[in-house]
Amino acid sequence: MIEPDLFAREDDAAHPASLSEAYRSTALRSPGHRPIRIPQTLTETSGFTDWSQACAVGSADLTRTAGGEAIGQRILVAGRVLDEAGRPVPRTLVEVWQANAAGRYAHARDQWDAPLDPNFTGAGQVVTDDDGRYAFESIRPGAYPWGNHENAWRPAHIHFSLFGPAFATRLVTQMYFEGDPLIALDPIAQSVPAAARDRLVARFDLGLTRPSYALGYVFDIVLRGPAATPTEA
């Protein structure tokens, strides 16, 4: 007897296609044949349910190191992680990484001529609370050129990695900022179907904004289902 799938089938219309002509590197990594769906088994439907017990969680504050404070506009990013039924996903790991205020990553392969910030690593971790809530304090990242086409610039964005309670809920995505004109010009963002694209855009929130300190942005994440946050590596 075959057990029914624990998780509903993903809505392909909410996620970018494997091959997008404007996003040139997808031609090198997209599959040559149509993917085959396989039944969900224990390896897809199981996983850690309490990441606070599974690993040593890093810092949710990206604005400080032992050497001092990072340079740039301070921001607060917060939201909820939800499952396909809209229920909170508690105690799951949320990881972020991003460029600094000048648009440069603290990585050896990033050789763009923009200054590094010795007090900004660009990486953070947090585990959601019982209501699925998370929060990070960071620096608003800068735009940067990326060579996809002439005069191509990536919008300001933060990368998110979430695990959820099972392998089938694994999500890697990006968060953009409300009102950024580069979103409409970016082949990566534009590869996401139009109906789901706004799910990648954090909204400014005055209530979350801390007076005289940091701007607040709300970014809720849905791991699967019809309202899923699009996958975007």
Side-chain angles (χ1 to χ4, degrees):
M1 177 179 176
I2 300 177
E3 294 293 329
D5 289 349
L6 179 62
F7 298 103
R9 285 183 56 166
E10 282 284 62
D11 180 9
D12 292 337
H15 299 283
S18 298
L19 176 61
S20 175
E21 291 185 6
Y23 183 4
R24 289 169 51 184
S25 64
T26 62
L28 302 175
R29 68 183 192 221
S30 60
H33 300 280
R34 184 180 180 86
I36 299 173
R37 293 188 182 274
I38 61 174
Q40 294 174 9
T41 64
L42 187 64
T43 56
E44 287 78 43
T45 59
S46 61
F48 289 117
T49 57
D50 189 347
W51 279 92
S52 63
Q53 302 297 319
C55 65
V57 178
S59 175
D61 184 356
L62 285 67
T63 67
R64 296 176 178 83
T65 67
E69 292 192 32
I71 297 172
Q73 170 65 64
R74 285 186 293 261
I75 59 172
L76 304 172
V77 179
R80 299 182 74 198
V81 179
L82 307 171
D83 68 12
E84 57 191 8
R87 298 168 298 202
V89 180
R91 295 177 297 283
T92 195
L93 182 64
V94 181
E95 299 178 294
V96 296
W97 66 97
Q98 62 168 92
N100 66 17
R104 186 168 176 181
Y105 289 93
H107 193 285
R109 293 186 63 182
D110 189 343
Q111 295 297 309
W112 180 43
D113 184 21
L116 285 169
D117 185 340
N119 296 316
F120 188 75
T121 66
Q125 291 180 318
V126 69
V127 171
T128 57
D129 66 14
D130 289 343
D131 293 322
R133 298 187 184 279
Y134 75 91
F136 286 96
E137 184 172 332
S138 191
I139 297 296
R140 178 163 176 145
Y144 59 83
W146 65 298
N148 183 80
H149 56 277
E150 185 179 4
N151 208 13
W153 290 77
R154 293 289 344 266
H157 63 279
I158 298 177
H159 297 267
F160 275 73
S161 167
L162 298 96
F163 284 90
F167 186 81
T169 58
R170 179 82 167 96
L171 176 66
V172 178
T173 192
Q174 298 182 28
M175 183 203 89
Y176 301 100
F177 292 84
E178 186 176 42
D180 190 336
L182 288 176
I183 295 174
L185 304 175
D186 181 54
I188 298 181
Q190 294 301 305
S191 71
V192 177
R197 202 172 297 148
D198 283 347
R199 301 176 196 173
L200 296 176
V201 180
R203 61 178 175 83
F204 170 73
D205 188 281
L206 188 61
L208 181 61
T209 296
R210 194 177 303 171
S212 302
Y213 184 75
L215 299 176
Y217 291 88
V218 173
F219 185 57
D220 292 333
I221 301 167
V222 181
L223 296 182
R224 288 184 66 92
T229 301
T231 298
E232 191 177 309

